Amino acid sequence: MSLLSPHNHDSLSFGSLETVNMELDKEFDALPFGVDYGRLQNGLVYYVKCNPKPRKRASLALAVKVGSVLEEEDERGVAHIVEHLAFSATKRYTNHAIVKFLESIGAEFGPCQNAETSFDETVYKLLIPIDKPELLSEAIQVLAEFSSEIRLSKDDLEKERGAVMEEYRDNRNADGRILDAYWTLMMEGSKYADRLPIGLENVIKTVSPQTLKQFYQKWYHLSNMAVIAVGDFSDTKSVIELIKTNFGHKYSALEPPPIPHFKVPSHEDPRFLYFVEPEASGSAVMISYKMQADEMKTVKDYREMLVKSMFCMALNRRLFRISRRKDPPYFSCSIDSYVLVHDLKAYIMTSSCKEKGTLEALESMLIEIARVRLHGFSEREISIVRALQMSSIESAYLERDQMESSSLRYDYTEHFTSNKPIIGIEYEAQLQKSILPDILASEVSKFAEKLWTSCSCFILIVEPQAFAVIDDMKNIVIKINKLENKGSISPWDDEHIPEEIVNSKPNKGDIVEQREHANIGASELTLSNGMRVCYKCTDFFNDQVLFAGFSYGGLSELPESKYFSSSMGSTIAEEIGIFGHRPSVLMDMLAGKRVDVDIDISNYTRTFYGDCSPIYLETAFQLVYQLFTTKVTPDDEVIKRVMQVKEESILALERDPYTSFSSRAREINHGNSYFFRNFGINDLQKVNPLKACEYFNTCFKDPSTFTVVIIGKTDPTVAVPLILKYLGGIEKPPLPILHFNSDYVKGLPYKYPKSTTREVVYSPMIEAQCMVRICFPIELKNGTMEEIHYTGFLTKLLETKLLQLLRFKHGQIYSTSVSESIDGDLPCLTGDICGDIQIDFSCDPKISLKLVDLALNEILRLREEGPSDQDVETILEIEQRAHENGLQENYYWLKQILCSYQSRIYSGDIGTSFKILDEGRSKVRKTLSPLTMQLALQRIMPRRNQHTVVILMPRASWFKRIKSLSQWTRQGIDMKILGAIAGFTVLALSLRRYSKQS
């Protein structure tokens, strides 16, 4: 259900929001609420809405009711290829001019950002700045080109085949194979079963331009399309006129064929699949129940949707508790609903478990559903999920004016493609406030009757190696059915939940010093226990407060003898309970409270961080107080489970073909210290749980070493007393604990390569995958902030140029990433700074050496010739637009203030530090030119013959390997280039990502 509303409403709080009379048969309006909606004479639908977040931005889309299910057998993959080619060339824009336009205005182009093709629709998306009137006009013109003017020429197709093939190859890993098998059997008997959007390899490689044109001309009709425009417009009328101007004159030459509807048959007998996947990231079980997607036409339908949602929440809380028991049947388990295709959804229950533990996990999962059918949920359980649901709608209501334009664009797209009603957030909040109190436990429990194995059920087990057969799965289903028929499944045994989070009342602290920093709008307090707290009040979101507290001194301080135990300390402690209560108990104590607190112990710092509603700021600070006052003691049951999970994750890494590649790349580029090695089984045997807990208990004990930053919708008259009570109430120990001066934090033992190294890592894999990593050591003399900013701009320049070269010119990769690492992000660095710039891309193994040559040649060219004026303008625009968006986000301000504290220039005044950093950015932006970028490239990467190349290749026969090595010599970098180079978890089943290709 879409949470949309107009902006001109009163400022009622959720508590004072009136309930409504419950007329269950009342129908919702078919027209979307709060948006200008209409249809042109040629059939095109439009949605236009003014929305101020983010400022001076617009989120646009062209939604087309055309997806892969409409393809014929020889067209499998064509819908996705057409989407790709839309950005290559149209009648008006050629040679990727659309991509260049987007980048020139700071609207980045990349995977999953600009378009996606699914079974039933294709959606083109643009997020653009509109501070110049012509930008919106041109962006709508681009959408109009997509609707009818995609060129689809032979040359365009040949250039794009490689990129599409690389996207196809990316899906041919363990998860992709598992999901292929799952989808085919799940949708058996329907055309959807063999119409995955990515298509067939043979079609991608051989399809003709004529076939693409036939598909495009047959299905791309304006009557199947909608234009969505949501943004910070001055008015909607002018935007509608732009749509009419660009689309109104377009008419189809032929009458469009009706969009066919493809049924997915139901089945009474459960389907089973036992899938052996040697590269699987773990052992897993999935139970799916297909059913018709919810119709949302009346208040009664809405009420039923809430009941189903509460069922999932209540069952998930039970499943979480089971995963925390002694010798649990699984490590994690949850249930959720997913819309698979039009008119079809599934409730999917997934679990991850130990190897050879899948049958036990399956049995436990089926028992829990049967337990609900037999005994139901308790009223207490339903009161908890009712509070969770009420809290969720309250948050949405409070932020009804602060929704992102891209979220609203998505909701309008769903209205067009799936007929999902849009009723307005005020009315929806009133509905939930009226309905939720009347939903009983018996009503929620009754939904389990729809989850019999005879209700279109499909059961999948994934194991790295076979140890059972499908008959074993069938026997478990029979066993549970018999137990349920006999009533031999006992009721759920709930546990006692304490009322108070804080175990002992804190003694309120005092403010020793208070400073105001007008340039960042922040106040800074020094408390009597030595803790420093900086808070900034914002109005970006009405229901968001972010906070983070850090102290120097992390894992880098540890010798090898203590490292392995200590590095497991936080994992063990979190499972025992770092806030004074077991996780399963704390889950219920926090039910309905919008608060989350977590911790991180990294190489150089110890950090607690979180977010909450302003209403629950006290709860958040109570958790922080508990963190500092709780002594974690080892628990044998917890330790056994944690070690088992860790062992399974290690084994999963060893099965992953990429592990040997990433390990070798780290060793070549950073050295072979224990800090850089993967955690192995031998290392796990070195872990002493008692020592792990002892180390953790020292990490969050001394408040005088911590600096806390708080950003969000806070009222100082409320927040400061809570800060003094809970943060100031943390007692300072008599002797300092882990008290590190930032200037003397121990750096990791990085050993950057001193010469050129190239190596191929051969790894056994079921289907050929190839990954290339090119690394360049860098040096920043005196480590000035300007040099760090230059490094960031260089990174963006290299990424942009390599994407242009390898994807748009040669068409051989799908995407590339370029990132910089500066001494592992060591805080408060002094003197010269070292680090590296890393380039990653995947490709066809047969051409990997050629692409390495092309990439290195391009970097050489940039070093010798410099970038163009357009290149510099593009990266400046991208950086500026990202900066403008960040200024409207609490996360951005939290990060910037933390960076100001941790910067090498910080000398006690956070306002001055922030100012210097901001001025450094502005200074670099003003001086950025082709010449200064060229000089920065030569200066930051000074060693002309220093770089590393590591390539992951599928393991082949010894003869082929020798042949590939000789090919490296023939196709490798020539001597001129060598002399001139500038030295440079658990199976994730995401049906949404799987069913869409971008």
Side-chain angles (χ1 to χ4, degrees), residues 515 517 524 532 550 552 707 742-743 828 897 899-914 916-917:
R515 304 175 69 180
H517 302 285
E524 185 182 52
R532 181 170 48 194
F550 75 92
Y552 291 116
T707 296
S742 60
D743 292 333
C828 297
I897 294 178
C899 287
S900 298
Y901 273 117
Q902 296 175 3
S903 167
R904 65 188 310 174
I905 61 174
Y906 176 71
S907 58
D909 189 317
I910 183 62
T912 300
S913 175
F914 188 97
I916 293 173
L917 289 176

Side-chain angles (χ1 to χ4, degrees), residues 26-33 296-298 415 419-423 427:
K26 181 180 178 180
E27 293 189 358
F28 297 134
D29 194 335
L31 297 177
F33 178 81
M296 199 66 63
K297 294 183 177 180
T298 66
H415 179 270
N419 297 317
K420 290 189 176 179
I422 296 172
I423 62 175
Y427 182 48

Side-chain angles (χ1 to χ4, degrees), residues 718-827:
V718 175
V720 172
L722 295 176
I723 289 170
L724 296 179
K725 181 176 181 179
Y726 293 106
L727 303 187
I730 302 168
E731 290 188 12
K732 181 179 178 180
L735 296 175
I737 300 176
L738 297 183
H739 202 293
F740 292 92
N741 186 306
S742 60
D743 292 333
Y744 298 100
V745 172
K746 183 179 179 182
L748 292 181
Y750 284 97
K751 293 183 179 179
Y752 297 106
K754 301 297 183 183
S755 60
T756 298
T757 301
R758 299 191 210 99
E759 187 169 314
V760 176
V761 176
Y762 294 96
S763 182
M765 55 185 78
I766 295 173
E767 295 186 63
Q769 302 275 322
C770 178
M771 175 64 73
V772 173
R773 177 165 297 168
I774 307 172
C775 270
F776 305 89
I778 62 175
E779 293 180 9
L780 309 183
K781 294 297 183 182
N782 300 318
T784 64
M785 290 301 106
E786 286 82 3
E787 288 293 80
I788 292 174
H789 284 300
Y790 267 117
T791 304
F793 281 113
L794 276 179
T795 298
K796 191 61 197 175
L797 172 69
L798 293 178
E799 185 171 275
T800 302
K801 297 305 292 180
L802 292 178
L803 190 66
Q804 290 174 0
L805 175 73
L806 301 181
R807 164 133 191 212
F808 300 133
K809 182 176 181 180
H810 292 278
Q812 296 297 344
I813 68 169
Y814 179 49
S815 65
T816 184
S817 70
V818 182
S819 58
E820 80 274 13
S821 173
I822 300 175
D823 265 348
D825 299 318
L826 177 65

Side-chain angles (χ1 to χ4, degrees), residues 225 259 318 376 481 599-600 722 816 947:
M225 300 181 190
I259 302 283
R318 287 189 177 185
N481 287 341
I599 58 101
D600 178 56
L722 295 176
T816 184
H947 68 273

